[in-house]
Amino acid sequence: MVQIPTTDGQADAFAAFPDHGERHPGVLMYADAFGIRPVLREMARELAGHGYYVLVPNFFYRHGPAPLIELPEHIGEDVRPAVVAQVMPLIEAHTAERVLSDADAYLRFLTTQPEVGAGPVAVTGYCIGGLLAMRTAAAHPDQVAALAGFHGPVGADGPDSLAKLTAQVHLGHAETDMTTEALGELNQALDAAGVGYTSEIYPGTVHGFTMSDTDAFNPAALRLHWDRLLPLLGRALANG
């Protein structure tokens, strides 16, 4: 765990990186609303194993360090409504202004770590983290070379936000989150932005499909997520 200085205090975060003294491309990974927990640490470590420094901030740090709420080992459908009810006030308080202020701090911290090489970074996000990743990439086109979002409300800010992107993009949507019509509109906006992208609905999925500690988990979709994410990072960050 590390501490990131921000304009509103200190954000606790989890960092994972290869342990052999070299410098690596940086990846800012936004968790879902349930925050930093074993499954997110596992995903960060897996990505770090491919040669990246991965930073996972607790973006609700203003309310306290992670974990902010007591989570069961498995977030089943029987407990999910109660857990969501606890995190919704945190989501509502996390304004766009806070997101952008924090993104500045996260990227400043990430790019100044001794284990992180010079050059552009990537931003990834899950669920609400997908929207935070989108906002970060749009606000930092000179720094963010790759953007990936999974089962997140990535089009929530409209086409004007997408027009600011310069990163290479992959968006993996859940069947329950995105109609084919909405996908067409989103992809049309990405076409207009002139960025290189893939944006697709992962078959047979529901919201949260990457998270192995929930009933939404879909192992095939998680594999597809890695199959899309790793080549994107390799291309955009020139990581051999």
Side-chain angles (χ1 to χ4, degrees):
M1 296 298 293
V2 296
Q3 296 290 322
I4 304 173
T6 77
T7 56
D8 289 333
Q10 297 276 327
D12 51 310
F14 178 74
F17 50 92
D19 188 22
H20 43 69
E22 299 174 0
R23 301 176 79 190
H24 307 277
V27 180
L28 174 59
M29 178 185 285
Y30 286 110
D32 60 6
F34 299 148
I36 301 171
R37 59 195 193 280
V39 67
L40 262 299
R41 293 188 179 93
E42 180 183 329
M43 293 175 77
R45 289 190 187 103
E46 181 161 352
L47 182 54
H50 292 275
Y52 299 97
Y53 182 108
V54 185
L55 182 67
V56 188
N58 166 28
F59 48 82
F60 294 145
Y61 68 90
R62 291 173 182 84
H63 305 274
L68 280 172
I69 62 173
E70 187 174 342
L71 289 172
E73 190 171 322
H74 183 83
I75 306 168
E77 287 307 309
D78 54 332
V79 299
R80 186 182 181 91
V83 174
V84 169
Q86 288 181 275
V87 300
M88 278 307 298
L90 307 179
I91 293 173
E92 291 164 359
H94 200 55
T95 61
E97 291 76 18
R98 286 183 171 184
V99 172
L100 295 180
S101 174
D102 289 346
D104 292 346
Y106 301 155
L107 291 177
R108 186 165 52 249
F109 179 91
L110 177 62
T111 56
T112 55
Q113 295 312 293
E115 301 87 0
V116 176
V121 300
V123 183
T124 69
Y126 302 88
C127 300
I128 188 63
L131 177 58
L132 305 190
M134 182 70 75
R135 288 175 172 170
T136 300
H140 295 271
D142 56 332
Q143 281 188 288
V144 178
L147 162 66
F150 301 93
H151 47 81
V154 291
D157 292 339
D160 288 347
S161 175
L162 301 179
K164 300 173 184 175
L165 294 175
T166 59
Q168 297 184 47
V169 178
H170 173 71
L171 303 175
H173 313 286
E175 279 189 352
T176 55
D177 288 343
M178 182 75 69
T179 64
T180 54
E181 292 78 16
L183 179 65
E185 292 174 6
L186 176 64
N187 292 353
Q188 199 170 27
L190 290 167
D191 286 332
V195 298
Y197 76 92
T198 53
S199 174
E200 60 188 312
I201 296 172
Y202 284 22
T205 55
V206 297
H207 182 73
F209 58 76
T210 58
M211 297 297 155
S212 61
D213 61 351
T214 73
D215 283 353
F217 180 55
N218 183 314
L222 179 63
R223 286 194 298 272
L224 180 58
H225 143 282
W226 289 119
D227 290 344
R228 297 290 191 263
L229 178 59
L230 294 173
L232 170 71
L233 300 184
R235 291 192 306 270
L237 304 182
N239 185 54

